[in-house]
Amino acid sequence: MKGKFTVMVLHVVGARPNFMKAAPVYRALAARGHKQTLVHTGQHYDALMSDVFFKGLGIPDPDESLNVGSGSHAQQTAAIMSLFEPVVLARKPDIVLVYGDVNSTVAAALVCSKLGVRVGHVESGLRSFDRSMPEEINRLVTDQLADLLFTPSVDGDENLAREGIAKEKVFFVGNVMIDTLIRFLPEADALFPTFKSELSLDSYGLVTLHRPSNVDDETNFLPMLEVLDKLSCELPLVFPVHPRTRQKWSTQLEQCNPNLRAIAPLGYLEFLALQKSAKVVITDSGGIQEETTFLGTPCLTLRENTERPITLTCGSNVLIGRDWELLRKEFHKALKGNQTRKNIPPLWDGRASERIADVITGLTY
Ligand code: UD1
């Protein structure tokens, strides 16, 4: 049968960065009349890492919650797989959409490909070429298994071609995270003045750190914290702390000077508002490299590599690694407003999820 009729799409989300990617795709598919099921694996479970995003982004409550919780990579991936398989068998989706590069993404893709259910990978083709990152393994495996690969930038298409993925399966659609950003920016702007005065902020920088390579051991984390502590004497730094980071370093965070403001994780709108008006963002997150590129906020990335090179070549991102001298230099440059690259990559236009929904609607089932 040829397309242009409704199908049953099952979305799998599990961790914080999945929620803002799935929200616009869900919406675009709903507008085309498709039936949809939302499965939350429970990889992230704290209210501040999960529930607030569902509420804030207007995503419906999950139809199925697997409640897998935390564990080693093998435990978490295996738990998702064994709980997800019966859901797929019972719900019989025509297509399953997985997002990004978290353990929930690869676990669901593995289940579906073995059941012969078509898999679409949203945010496909990104590569850091660093296999010590768990997310890189998740990306490589998911892309090998996926039937439809939706890329956010042309480097994704090039990576997939090099890995031998047939080009008929690859669709350059743009960045769904930016769809969400564009939709919610007016709300974030409206909230900012009150939020700013609640936090008693004037000029500030924003920090996030959660990558295992940065926060899991003291030889990496403590020198980083010391530099941030010093920089915060020049510009207050707001640091919403990920649970992974808080668990390990709560004592050390409390000992920092009060200008390094370690607070609880923020909701989507609050964080977006802070990113937009920050003098500088210091991070190891992938999504934040993209959001700052769109917003034109200087981003200093505390990693040796990035799977999002377009944010370096086109956007406002600079890779710092552990070069603290470079961090200081770029920090001062940002404070003076001397940062030059501020372009928006092609198809980061708020319509990526529309393009995905069009591809899905046009398929033969
Ligand atoms: C996961 C993703 C990472 C993504 C990040 C965003 C993988 C391999 N990693 O990393 O790509 O950038 O989410 O946040 O999928 N914890 C809580 N409450 C929660 C969730 C986690 O306290 O709601 C704690 C647990 O102790 C857990 C630790 O944080 O062991 C790490 O959580 P986990 O989901 O394993 O990885 P993240 O570091 O969050």
Side-chain angles (χ1 to χ4, degrees), residues 105-340:
T105 312
V106 70
L110 261 165
V111 168
C112 294
S113 58
K114 295 217 173 177
L115 291 176
V117 174
R118 194 182 269 182
V119 179
H121 183 203
V122 178
E123 198 187 87
S124 175
L126 300 184
R127 297 289 182 269
S128 65
F129 304 101
D130 173 3
R131 291 199 185 191
S132 69
M133 275 182 90
E135 293 82 3
E136 183 74 353
I137 309 294
N138 295 344
R139 293 180 201 114
L140 283 161
V141 176
T142 306
D143 282 341
Q144 280 299 320
L145 300 176
D147 303 284
L148 301 166
L149 299 98
F150 299 110
T151 60
S153 45
V154 282
D155 52 282
D157 295 57
E158 288 159 13
N159 292 333
L160 295 173
R162 206 182 36 254
E163 289 168 19
I165 309 276
K167 72 171 184 306
E168 298 72 40
K169 300 202 289 184
V170 180
F171 300 87
F172 172 37
V173 292
N175 191 328
V176 290
M177 211 156 173
I178 301 303
D179 293 5
T180 297
L181 187 158
I182 290 173
R183 173 155 183 243
F184 285 97
L185 200 51
E187 274 182 59
D189 282 341
L191 165 141
F192 188 56
T194 326
F195 181 53
K196 193 174 154 184
S197 69
E198 272 169 23
L199 287 176
S200 331
L201 284 173
D202 186 21
S203 197
Y204 63 91
L206 186 59
V207 175
T208 79
L209 291 171
H210 76 282
R211 294 257 156 248
S213 57
N214 279 337
V215 305
D216 278 5
D217 73 80
E218 64 179 36
T219 45
N220 292 331
F221 185 71
L222 293 182
M224 202 170 273
L225 189 63
E226 196 184 319
V227 181
L228 293 172
D229 193 36
K230 287 206 180 103
L231 292 178
S232 73
C233 300
E234 297 178 52
L235 178 76
L237 295 175
V238 183
F239 184 5
V241 184
H242 187 284
R244 183 183 196 104
T245 315
R246 173 77 69 184
Q247 263 170 24
K248 277 212 92 123
W249 306 112
S250 58
T251 315
Q252 289 78 358
L253 286 164
E254 276 161 27
Q255 287 162 358
C256 289
N257 90 67
N259 264 351
L260 184 61
R261 297 169 55 173
I263 59 174
L266 293 169
Y268 181 74
L269 291 178
E270 288 85 356
F271 193 77
L272 177 56
L274 279 186
Q275 277 191 87
K276 188 179 170 197
S277 299
K279 286 262 178 218
V280 60
V281 174
I282 301 174
T283 190
D284 60 7
S285 150
I288 294 170
Q289 294 172 52
E290 297 181 337
E291 289 170 340
T292 47
T293 273
F294 184 86
L295 295 166
T297 305
C299 179
L300 310 181
T301 297
L302 302 190
R303 285 176 48 188
E304 303 293 344
N305 50 53
T306 178
E307 63 287 339
R308 290 153 162 101
I310 200 140
T311 61
L312 302 171
T313 53
C314 180
S316 58
N317 188 20
V318 179
L319 271 190
I320 300 293
R322 296 183 202 289
D323 184 341
W324 307 135
E325 211 27 65
L326 179 64
L327 176 62
R328 276 187 210 98
K329 195 176 123 218
E330 291 292 335
F331 183 84
H332 291 131
K333 215 157 120 185
L335 256 55
K336 288 187 195 131
N338 286 349
Q339 204 237 23
T340 44

Side-chain angles (χ1 to χ4, degrees), residues 15-17 43-46 49 70-71 73 76 101-104 134-135 138 210-212 242-244 247:
R16 183 168 62 174
Q43 179 174 344
H44 283 175
Y45 43 86
D46 283 350
M49 298 296 284
S70 302
H73 285 272
Q76 195 173 55
D101 55 16
V102 301
N103 287 343
S104 302
E135 293 82 3
N138 295 344
H210 76 282
R211 294 257 156 248
H242 187 284
R244 183 183 196 104
Q247 263 170 24

